[in-house]
Amino acid sequence: MVGKHGGYVQGYNVQIACARRQVLLAIEMHDNPADMTALVPMVRQTQRNCRAAGVVDDVNVWLADNGYASAANFDALAELPLLVAVTGGAPQLTAQPDVTSISAAHRPMADRLATPEGRRLYKRRAALVEPGFAQLFQRFGRDLHYRGRDGVDTEVKLLGLVHNLNKLFRHTAIPTS
């Protein structure tokens, strides 16, 4: 994969799906530096994990940054409440997106993001997923101990499990009275 500071690195691209308080609903890795092809598999894995855990409620909204924007992803996940940024930075949160710079395939998503509800929901994306990555990297670093797809996949999932267990053990219930 292309390294962050140039050159190449032998590594994988880690994807996470987070709920509130950065509880991981899914953690996966793939060997493509681009995120675009990871959205549908991540959503489907998250759905499988939730069903296996006995979670019967649907995810209220699926939020993803512009690295996941593609007409193929929008079509494949059309049945879901999906909000994917179609531009970089903050332009997707403005009331009047500049449609001249947005492809026709992305305009319906841009229109959804431009609604007050779309803007309100999308603003939560960074607060959900980015701290999850930061917490994983702070706790475990960026280097893995195993090599090969199966070893790395197992280690990544184990790190996700430990992350969630840490969340569970540190959780303080809010008094109901």
Side-chain angles (χ1 to χ4, degrees):
M1 289 185 34
V2 177
K4 230 179 190 178
H5 305 289
Y8 293 90
V9 64
Q10 195 173 18
Y12 293 96
N13 187 339
V14 175
Q15 305 288 315
I16 60 175
C18 292
R20 275 185 257 146
R21 296 182 181 90
Q22 297 81 42
V23 171
L24 303 184
L25 301 176
I27 184 167
E28 298 291 328
M29 59 91 186
H30 62 101
D31 57 7
N32 187 331
D35 292 335
M36 193 176 305
T37 60
L39 183 61
V40 173
M42 278 301 294
V43 167
R44 299 302 183 217
Q45 186 60 51
T46 301
Q47 291 171 322
R48 285 190 294 274
N49 290 350
C50 288
R51 279 193 304 273
V55 176
V56 294
D57 295 334
D58 291 330
V59 171
N60 292 334
V61 63
W62 297 88
L63 307 169
D65 68 27
N66 65 318
Y68 300 92
S70 78
N73 285 339
F74 301 159
D75 289 344
L77 301 172
E79 81 280 4
L80 299 177
L82 180 68
L83 290 173
V84 179
V86 294
T87 62
Q92 68 273 358
L93 299 176
T94 62
Q96 300 299 323
D98 177 15
V99 294
T100 60
S101 65
I102 298 172
S103 74
H106 292 177
R107 283 189 190 141
M109 184 62 67
D111 292 343
R112 255 190 275 169
L113 283 162
T115 66
E117 180 70 355
R119 287 192 309 274
R120 182 186 70 76
L121 289 169
Y122 190 80
K123 285 180 183 178
R124 298 179 58 208
R125 188 208 67 81
L128 288 170
V129 73
E130 300 305 337
F133 278 116
Q135 292 163 16
L136 282 167
F137 293 145
Q138 180 185 21
R139 186 170 292 123
F140 306 114
R142 291 180 174 267
D143 298 321
L144 298 174
H145 297 88
Y146 291 91
R147 299 293 174 252
R149 179 173 275 287
D150 291 341
V152 169
D153 187 56
T154 300
E155 186 173 355
V156 163
K157 285 178 174 49
L158 180 60
L159 296 176
L161 172 65
V162 171
H163 170 85
N164 280 348
L165 287 172
N166 186 55
K167 294 282 183 179
L168 176 66
F169 293 145
R170 293 176 181 261
H171 176 71
T172 304
I174 299 172
T176 58
S177 57

